[in-house]
C-alpha cells in the first residue's frame, strides 16, 4: 500500500480519494475548499493545508484538477509538486488537459527526478463513485506499471495507450465522441417528440440496435425529463472540446462534426448554461427548433 | 404458424425469410433476381414468380424493399399486394421508407381490407442472420399484436412505438444516430492515428467509458483495417438521411449534426463509394485530412 497525496477533491477527485482509502492506501487530501478535506478525514484519510505538505510525505501524487493552467501551477509552481516531492515519487495526473502541457509536465518531472504518467479518466461522477472509471494512461512502461495498482482502486478499464501525453490524446478523442453522441441523441429525441412518438418505447428499441450507446443508456432518461444537474458540466466539456479542436489542427486532421459540436457546446455555455450537465445540449436543439419550454 | 409471403430477399430479407422458415412458418419467397428464390427453396421454402402469386396464398405478407417507390409499386401497384391479398391479410413492411409513404400505404391497405404495420429493423446483416434485429413497429394495437409472433422469429427487441408511420420515424432517428456515431468514430480514429497512439488500446479504453457504443464495438475493427465490404451500403444510408432530413424539416426540428452528416455521406457517395459499407465515412475524413492511402 502507498502513501498517496490527492490534490483536488472535486466531483471526480473526491470519490477517487475515497476509493483509494477503501483499498487500504494512506491518503492525504489537499483541496482549495477545506470542507472537502474534512470529508476525507471523516472517512479515515488525512489532510494537508498545502500541496507541499501533502507531497512531502507521499510515495504517489494524484492530481485531479480542472484545467491545464491548474496543473501547471500545482505541479510546476514554486511550492508545487516537483519542488516538494521526494526523488522517485510517482506523479499520476488524472486531470483532462492539453496533451502538449502533459508532455511538458512529464519532461519537467523527469528532470526533477519524479516519474510521471498522464491518466485521464472517463465514466463521470458515477464511474468515480463506483470505482469503474475507464483510464487512458500515457507514459513509460515501468511508470505505467507502477501506477497500475493505484489506478486499479479507482477504475475497471486501465489501458496503456502510448508515451507521455497519449492518455490526453485518447481522452480528447473520448470527449469528441461523447459530446457528439449527446448531440445526436438530443437531435433524435427532439425529433421523436415533435413527431409525437412514444419516446420511452423509441429509446428502448434504439438501445437494442446499432444506435445503442452508453450515452443513450445513461443520459436519455434525464434528457427526456429535462433534468440537467451535473454530472459533467458544460463548462468543462467546452474546455475539452477546445483541447480536441487544437490537437486535431496540430496534426492537420479534419473533424467536421467535432468542430460543429464544439460550436454548439460553446453556444449552450454562452446562453448561460455552463453549470448544467453536458446533456443539456438538448436545450439548444429545442431552442433552435422553437420548442424551448421555459 | 402462418403462410408468409416474403417480398424482397436481399441482404436483410433473405436471412429474415430463412429465420421464418426455421421458426416453422410456411414461407413463399418472391424476388426480382430468381437465384435468391432458389436459395430459399433449397432451405425448405417455396417460391413464387410474381407478387400476386405469392400474396394470394398468404396470411401474412412481409415486404423488405430498398426504397419508398419500391414499396409503393409492390403494395399499391396494379398486380401488387393490395390487389391480390385476401381480406384480413396482415402486411408487415420492414423496408425503411418515408414515414408519409408508410402512412399512405397503411390507409390504402385499410381501405382494401388489409391490416398493415410498418416494422423497419435495425441491426444490420449480422442481426438479420442471427435473428436479433431491433424492430420499431408502427400501427394499431391489434395489428401489432398479430405481427409480434412473426417478428419474434426475426428479432429480439420488438417495440410498438405508435400509430402507422411511427416505426419509420423511429427508424429515421436510428439512422441519424448511427451515421453520426460512425462519423464521430471515424474522426476519432483518424485523429488517434495521426497522433501515433496505439489505436487498439485506445479503442479498448474508449469502449469502456461513456464513449462506448455498438458502432464502436462492431465497426472500429473494420475501419482500422480499412475493410469496407457491406454490411449496410452508403447508397442506402444516404437515402435514409434524406428521409430523416425531410421528416425533421416537416416538424421544424433543427438537426445540425444530422444535416452535416447527411452532407458527408452524400459526398462519400458522390466520390464513388456508394457500394461500400457506411463505415467508409472514415475514407472521407482521411481525404479531408490529406491522409488518403490510395
Amino acid at each position: 500500500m502507498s502513501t498517496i497525496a490527492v490534490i483536488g477533491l472535486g466531483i471526480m477527485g473526491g470519490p477517487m480519494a475515497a476509493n483509494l482509502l477503501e483499498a487500504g492506501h494512506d491518503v492525504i487530501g489537499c483541496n482549495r475548499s477545506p470542507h472537502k478535506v474534512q470529508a476525507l478525514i471523516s472517512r479515515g484519510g488525512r489532510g494537508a493545508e498545502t500541496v507541499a505538505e501533502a507531497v512531502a510525505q507521499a510515495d504517489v501524487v494524484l492530481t485531479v484538477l480542472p484545467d491545464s493552467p491548474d496543473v501547471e501551477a500545482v505541479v510546476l509552481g514554486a511550492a508545487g509538486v516537483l519542488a516538494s516531492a521526494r526523488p522517485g515519487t510517482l506523479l499520476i495526473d488524472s486531470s483532462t488537459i492539453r496533451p502538449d502541457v502533459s508532455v511538458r509536465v512529464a519532461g519537467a518531472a523527469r528532470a526533477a527526478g519524479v516519474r510521471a504518467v498522464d491518466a485521464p479518466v472517463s465514466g463521470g461522477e458515477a464511474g468515480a463513485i463506483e470505482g469503474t472509471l475507464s483510464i487512458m494512461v500515457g507514459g513509460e512502461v515501468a511508470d505505467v506499471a507502477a501506477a497500475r495498482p493505484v489506478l486499479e482502486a479507482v477504475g475497471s478499464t486501465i489501458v496503456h495507450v502510448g508515451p507521455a501525453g497519449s492518455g490526453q490524446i485518447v481522452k480528447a478523442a473520448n470527449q469528441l465522441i461523447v459530446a457528439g453522441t449527446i448531440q445526436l441523441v438530443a437531435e433524435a429525441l427532439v425529433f421523436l417528440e415533435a413527431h409525437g412518438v412514444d419516446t420511452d418505447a423509441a429509446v428502448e428499441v434504439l438501445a437494442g440496435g446499432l444506435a445503442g450507446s452508453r450515452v443513450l443508456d445513461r443520459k436519455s432518461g434525464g434528457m427526456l425529463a429535462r433534468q440537467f444537474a451535473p454530472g459533467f458540466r458544460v463548462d468543462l466539456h467546452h474546455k475539452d472540446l477546445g483541447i480536441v479542436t487544437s490537437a486535431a489542427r496540430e496534426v492537420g486532421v479534419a473533424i467536421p462534426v467535432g468542430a460543429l459540436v464544439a460550436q454548439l457546446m460553446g453556444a449552450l455555455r454562452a446562453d448561460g448554461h455552463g453549470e448544467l450537465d453536458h446533456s443539456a445540449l438538448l436545450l439548444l436543439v429545442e431552442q433552435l427548433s422553437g420548442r424551448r419550454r421555459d
Side-chain angles (χ1 to χ4, degrees), chain A:
Chain A
M1 293 298 118
S2 307
T3 297
I4 305 176
V6 180
I7 318 294
L9 299 171
I11 287 184
M12 301 300 286
M16 290 167 77
N19 282 325
L20 290 171
L21 267 180
E22 198 69 34
H25 294 288
D26 173 25
V27 179
I28 309 168
C30 181
N31 196 64
R32 263 190 304 205
S33 9
H35 71 277
K36 300 287 186 66
V37 178
Q38 285 307 321
L40 183 70
I41 291 170
S42 73
R43 302 179 83 128
R46 294 194 280 151
E49 298 211 344
T50 65
V51 169
E53 182 194 336
V55 169
Q57 310 169 59
D59 313 313
V60 176
V61 178
L62 174 66
T63 45
V64 194
L65 298 165
D67 202 353
S68 308
D70 307 301
V71 172
E72 289 181 297
V74 164
V75 176
L76 308 178
V81 174
L82 299 188
S84 319
R86 298 180 299 201
T89 297
L90 177 65
L91 168 63
I92 303 174
D93 181 26
S94 285
S95 319
T96 295
I97 63 170
R98 298 177 52 95
D100 58 320
V101 173
S102 226
V103 170
R104 195 145 45 79
V105 163
R110 200 174 308 116
V114 167
R115 301 173 292 160
V117 300
D118 48 305
V121 302
S122 177
E125 187 179 13
I129 292 170
E130 296 159 8
T132 57
L133 293 168
S134 208
I135 311 181
M136 30 219 92
V137 193
E140 295 184 13
V141 169
D143 299 341
V144 173
R148 188 173 289 275
V150 175
L151 295 173
E152 279 171 351
V154 298
S156 53
T157 306
I158 297 148
V159 183
H160 184 198
V161 293
S166 301
Q168 298 297 348
I169 292 291
V170 177
K171 179 64 189 286
N174 185 83
Q175 295 304 78
L176 162 67
I177 292 175
V178 169
T181 308
I182 291 173
Q183 174 65 23
L184 289 165
V185 169
E187 294 182 9
L189 293 180
V190 175
F191 171 84
L192 292 166
E193 289 181 343
H195 276 285
V197 165
D198 177 342
T199 45
D200 288 337
V203 166
E204 181 191 347
V205 74
L206 290 171
L210 194 51
S213 67
R214 206 152 286 130
V215 165
L216 189 69
D217 293 343
R218 296 217 186 145
K219 295 289 180 183
S220 59
M223 292 165 84
L224 287 170
R226 271 60 175 177
Q227 289 175 351
F228 300 117
F232 188 73
R233 286 188 289 119
V234 167
D235 276 340
L236 286 172
H237 214 145
H238 174 70
K239 179 259 300 181
D240 293 350
L241 292 172
I243 292 172
V244 66
T245 304
S246 296
R249 278 182 67 87
E250 279 163 26
V251 286
V253 168
I255 51 166
V257 167
L260 174 56
V261 173
Q263 293 292 316
L264 295 169
M265 193 72 79
L268 180 63
R269 181 170 179 266
D271 201 27
H273 296 298
E275 295 294 321
L276 297 184
D277 188 71
H278 48 175
S279 59
L281 278 169
L282 183 118
L283 294 177
L284 190 70
V285 175
E286 279 192 303
Q287 186 176 33
L288 294 171
S289 307
R291 298 175 63 85
R292 189 76 150 260
R293 291 178 180 178
D294 292 349

